[in-house]
Amino acid sequence: MELIETVKHMFLFIAAKANYWTYVILLMVGLYAMIAKNNLVKKIVGMTIFQTAVILFYVSIGYKKDASIPIVMHGSGHGHAADAAIRAADYINPLPHVLMLTAIVVGVATLGVALALAIKVYKEYGSLEEDEIHKQLRSR
Amino acid sequence: MILPIDLIVLVLVIVSAVAAITVKDLLSASVMLGAYSFLLCLLWTVMGAVDVAFTEATVGAGVSTVFCVSAIFHTTRRTKD
């Protein structure tokens, strides 16, 4: 019985911060791919995973419990000054969302430049593997 | 945020990220990256970030998959790791 209680507590502890645990795991997966993988396209895939992990962290910061999406419900203005009171606790914080909108677009631009450089490297050396490129560079 | 949906999507996101870097074929890797981006799009929707979700679906999943596939078309799909 005690073991079941311990497992339950552990699960709730992890599940309460599941977004942040996933953020850390994805960050490590991307970093591992960037460092340890031999293929250039695999390294670029790892870079994309790393970027999206940071985006996950920021969107998780902006989240609020029992809050709606950040669109004002009944509009504002139009002479009803008393109705226009907006409680910030009712809406998810939209500032991290807007920042991460820019980060996604910048991430795709980075991906495009990196893949273009990989294509040039392939045209020059005839391979995408890092060790073969190093071998050719040493023999020159 | 609905916790069961959130947990299921988070597990699928990790699985597809690991699959994208372990699979031994670059075309499969880029397709797995596209699946990863669509799962993240689902995750943003669950977390209430709808604007980030549709930007991820069009730019992250659509355009970056096209970039990856065209880069592999210009190079090679074989890889050792």
Side-chain angles (χ1 to χ4, degrees):
Chain A
M1 260 340 259
E2 208 170 88
L3 183 71
I4 295 172
E5 280 294 302
T6 316
V7 168
K8 196 181 162 192
H9 275 117
M10 199 177 262
F11 175 76
L12 287 177
F13 177 74
I14 292 174
K17 298 265 183 276
N19 278 322
Y20 296 99
W21 289 103
T22 314
Y23 150 70
V24 170
I25 292 168
L26 287 179
L27 211 63
M28 289 305 115
V29 166
L31 196 64
Y32 166 76
M34 275 198 288
I35 292 172
K37 289 289 169 182
N38 198 29
N39 191 287
L40 290 179
V41 175
K42 281 289 179 68
K43 280 175 190 283
I44 295 166
V45 167
M47 186 184 75
T48 309
I49 292 171
F50 197 91
Q51 283 169 340
T52 47
V54 176
I55 295 171
L56 174 61
F57 176 64
Y58 269 80
V59 174
S60 304
I61 286 176
Y63 182 74
K64 286 175 196 163
K65 216 171 177 182
D66 299 325
S68 167
I69 58 171
I71 297 171
V72 176
M73 250 180 262
H74 306 295
S76 62
H78 302 297
H80 299 287
D83 303 347
I86 295 164
R87 287 178 63 237
D90 288 342
Y91 300 98
I92 296 167
N93 187 4
L95 182 63
H97 298 181
V98 179
L99 294 174
M100 287 312 109
L101 227 57
T102 319
I104 290 172
V105 178
V106 172
V108 171
T110 321
L111 179 78
V113 173
L115 286 171
L117 288 173
I119 291 173
K120 288 302 263 185
V121 166
Y122 183 80
K123 294 252 164 73
E124 186 77 23
Y125 298 97
S127 171
L128 282 175
E129 307 289 329
E130 204 186 1
D131 53 350
E132 289 175 17
I133 294 165
H134 276 293
K135 209 183 284 171
Q136 288 193 31
L137 277 171
R138 268 198 298 275
S139 65
R140 280 188 181 185
Chain B
M1 184 161 65
I2 306 156
L3 192 61
I5 297 178
D6 188 55
L7 291 179
I8 291 167
V9 174
L10 287 176
V11 169
L12 287 175
V13 161
I14 293 172
V15 167
S16 60
V18 171
I21 68 161
T22 48
V23 75
K24 299 246 179 283
D25 179 19
L26 289 182
L27 198 62
S28 312
S30 58
V31 170
M32 281 315 295
L33 194 69
Y36 168 81
S37 289
F38 271 117
L39 285 168
L40 278 178
C41 164
L42 210 59
L43 186 61
W44 307 147
T45 316
V46 171
M47 291 172 70
V50 275
D51 45 352
V52 187
F54 65 67
T55 310
E56 180 78 37
T58 53
V59 180
V63 176
S64 63
T65 309
V66 170
F67 278 3
C68 280
V69 170
S70 67
I72 290 159
F73 182 70
H74 279 97
T75 57
T76 176
R77 57 184 285 189
R78 274 197 296 278
T79 174
K80 282 187 288 190
D81 57 2

